[in-house]
Amino acid sequence: MTDRQTDALVRALSAFQIELPSWGFANTGTRFGKFLQPAAATTTEEKFSDAGQVHHWTGVCPTIALHVLWDLPRGVQDTGPVRALAVKYGLRAGSINPNVFQDQIYKYGSLGNPDPAVREQALAHILESVEIAKGLGSRDLSLWFADGSNYPGTQNIRHRRRWFEEGLRAAHSRLADDQRMLVEYKPFEPAFYHTDIADWGMALLFAQSAGPKAKVLVDTGHHYASQNIEQIVTWLLDLNMLGGFHFNDRRYADDDLTMGSIDPYQVFRIFHEILHFEWETGKRGDIAYMIDQSHNLKGKIEAMIQTVTTAVELYAKASLVDHEKLAHCQAKCALVDAESCLKDAFSTDVRPAMREWALSRGLAADPMDAFRQSGYLERITAERSQKNMAAVTSYA
Ligand code: AFD
Ligand code: MN
Ligand code: MN
């Protein structure tokens, strides 16, 4: 690596942070069932404790995303205890995720439901989530909706679009000056004919209509197989509408696989577009990097450490691109040389530099190995398995 690259890499490693999902430490599964793990977290405190381990060994995950109904079941009353957990485990509350998809009343949608009473109840929950975010000092309200329909002709899509506009505007009006709302899109699942916020264009229009604190959230699993995600990212960057990411990988659908396990080069290209934009504009993108995964088969904490170290590695690789040379090659249409600027960076092994950087910060050179040596997993397995596996026998 050249001196320029070494400097760029150290700057990247020192700046990069990625948010952990509380739900990533709890038992979750697929619609075909879930395989309970003896050490899985079942309380908010256990989720904080496990997330605290990932941050302790990696040093790059200071915040944890929270799901309101799952982590703060009593709503704003739980902000005090959650703030205490954050202090106890060396984390900060991150993005706040309302839940308007699992209660029975949301069968035909939430903000898009044809029943105004359900729309009102969904909005009330979202407004309470805004207050929870304020109580926790969280900046981002992360909005994902399962709304849609399963068959042609069963819903008026235009009416639903307008109801969503109304609801998102109302939510936006309650945000504090320093808060944001991130509008997430998803083309399918659990609705299988239409989803009310199906693609980046719909999310962009909803965010722009809601107000200036609304941005778009890109979940990498929420795209059709051949979509060019980095093109969407760089468009949103140029429009100052990129709020953040939910990172995961996918082979077929919204599989929420470990980041970079299927297509690491795609993640690299996303990071590259952001870093090239920042180089070109001299501005640092105000982008929330977040993980949205919860593993059914891999061990919860190990899978999270694996995802985090992969994210750091791909971001570090992307930081090696020679932006000056790339801009020149693009202008001249020197195609092979331009492409090589990316491929050379992507093929550079940055792991030795990552280890050196980690040691220089008093962190573990190998977070996975350090976690495994710590005995934490054995301890929580002993503490939790009786409670967790009792559920299994009751399943039997
Ligand atoms: C599911 C949804 C969506 C949402 C996440 C957390 O597909 O990605 O952001 O749950 O609520 O993965
Ligand atoms: Mn998501
Ligand atoms: Mn998803």
Side-chain angles (χ1 to χ4, degrees):
M1 271 193 278
T2 63
D3 289 349
R4 177 197 65 79
Q5 287 182 316
T6 304
D7 291 348
L9 187 139
V10 168
R11 269 200 311 277
L13 291 174
S14 306
F16 185 74
Q17 291 187 339
I18 191 164
E19 184 165 291
L20 298 170
S22 66
W23 55 95
F25 299 97
N27 277 315
T28 49
T30 69
R31 57 182 173 153
F32 303 103
K34 58 183 163 183
F35 295 104
L36 302 180
Q37 298 192 15
T42 51
T43 66
T44 305
E45 173 146 17
E46 289 173 350
K47 293 172 200 172
F48 267 89
S49 178
D50 296 355
Q53 284 293 305
V54 178
H55 180 47
H56 176 75
W57 297 114
T58 62
V60 298
C61 315
T63 58
I64 177 173
L66 299 172
H67 233 283
V68 173
L69 291 192
W70 304 336
D71 300 319
L72 299 109
R74 295 177 307 161
V76 285
Q77 291 178 57
D78 281 334
T79 51
V82 166
R83 266 206 314 274
L85 291 176
V87 172
K88 182 175 178 182
Y89 293 102
L91 296 168
R92 294 194 315 274
S95 59
I96 300 302
N97 292 259
N99 184 322
V100 285
F101 53 83
Q102 72 180 29
D103 288 351
Q104 294 300 308
I105 57 156
Y106 297 129
K107 182 172 182 179
Y108 301 114
S110 60
L111 290 185
N113 195 299
D115 179 346
V118 175
R119 297 201 297 270
E120 258 166 61
Q121 195 158 334
L123 179 60
H125 174 75
I126 292 169
L127 296 181
E128 183 180 21
S129 302
V130 172
E131 296 313 311
I132 289 171
K134 288 173 186 169
L136 292 174
S138 295
R139 179 179 69 159
D140 289 340
L141 184 75
S142 187
L143 295 174
W144 173 71
F145 299 90
D147 286 56
S149 65
N150 280 354
Y151 297 96
T154 55
Q155 283 292 292
N156 185 313
I157 294 173
R158 282 179 291 102
H159 291 177
R160 295 176 73 98
R161 189 197 72 76
R162 282 187 225 131
W163 293 328
F164 259 91
E165 252 187 359
E166 280 164 30
L168 292 172
R169 275 194 196 126
H172 186 281
S173 70
R174 292 286 188 82
L175 293 174
D177 291 345
D178 61 350
Q179 284 185 309
R180 304 186 308 173
M181 62 193 277
L182 307 181
V183 181
E184 184 173 358
Y185 58 90
K186 181 172 181 180
F188 56 86
E189 189 193 41
F192 291 106
Y193 169 66
H194 98 276
T195 298
D196 286 308
I197 312 182
D199 65 22
W200 72 276
M202 295 177 200
L204 174 65
L205 289 170
F206 277 139
Q208 287 174 331
S209 112
K213 300 169 202 157
K215 305 285 181 188
V216 176
L217 192 155
V218 177
D219 183 309
T220 48
H222 293 185
H223 299 85
Y224 296 116
S226 58
Q227 265 185 293
N228 184 328
I229 302 177
E230 64 269 25
Q231 179 182 8
I232 295 168
V233 167
T234 207
W235 260 72
L236 292 172
L237 273 171
D238 222 25
L239 296 169
N240 188 28
M241 289 302 287
L242 178 63
F245 291 89
H246 275 175
F247 281 116
N248 45 66
D249 213 339
R250 38 145 317 140
R251 185 71 194 86
Y252 299 101
D254 186 25
D255 310 327
D256 284 352
L257 298 175
T258 318
M259 190 172 167
S261 56
I262 305 295
D263 187 352
Y265 192 39
Q266 176 181 73
V267 181
F268 167 91
R269 296 194 306 269
I270 288 170
F271 283 146
H272 161 65
E273 286 299 339
I274 293 166
L275 290 167
H276 195 63
F277 168 84
E278 293 182 346
W279 168 81
E280 202 174 84
T281 61
K283 276 188 309 191
R284 186 153 163 69
D286 186 6
I287 303 163
Y289 295 129
M290 303 181 274
I291 295 163
D292 180 5
Q293 296 165 135
S294 182
H295 295 280
N296 201 16
L297 302 182
K298 281 183 177 176
K300 298 282 175 185
I301 300 173
E302 287 201 0
M304 215 48 82
I305 291 174
Q306 192 182 24
T307 279
V308 170
T309 44
T310 301
V312 173
E313 183 181 0
L314 294 169
Y315 191 77
K317 284 174 179 276
S319 75
L320 301 179
V321 172
D322 184 336
H323 299 294
E324 198 93 36
K325 180 180 174 192
L326 177 64
H328 175 77
C329 293
Q330 288 175 342
K332 298 281 182 216
C333 293
L335 307 182
V336 171
D337 292 345
E339 186 189 11
S340 299
C341 288
L342 271 61
K343 291 176 71 82
D344 291 348
F346 181 64
S347 58
T348 304
D349 185 357
V350 294
R351 289 171 299 180
M354 283 170 64
R355 280 194 286 273
E356 213 177 300
W357 175 83
L359 290 171
S360 74
R361 309 286 286 254
L363 295 165
D366 178 341
M368 186 70 82
D369 182 53
F371 169 69
R372 286 174 171 170
Q373 300 295 330
S374 72
Y376 180 85
L377 185 58
E378 289 75 11
R379 180 162 63 77
I380 62 169
T381 303
E383 284 168 6
R384 301 177 189 175
S385 53
Q386 199 178 356
K387 164 182 61 161
N388 286 354
M389 300 323 274
V392 177
T393 45
S394 64
Y395 260 59

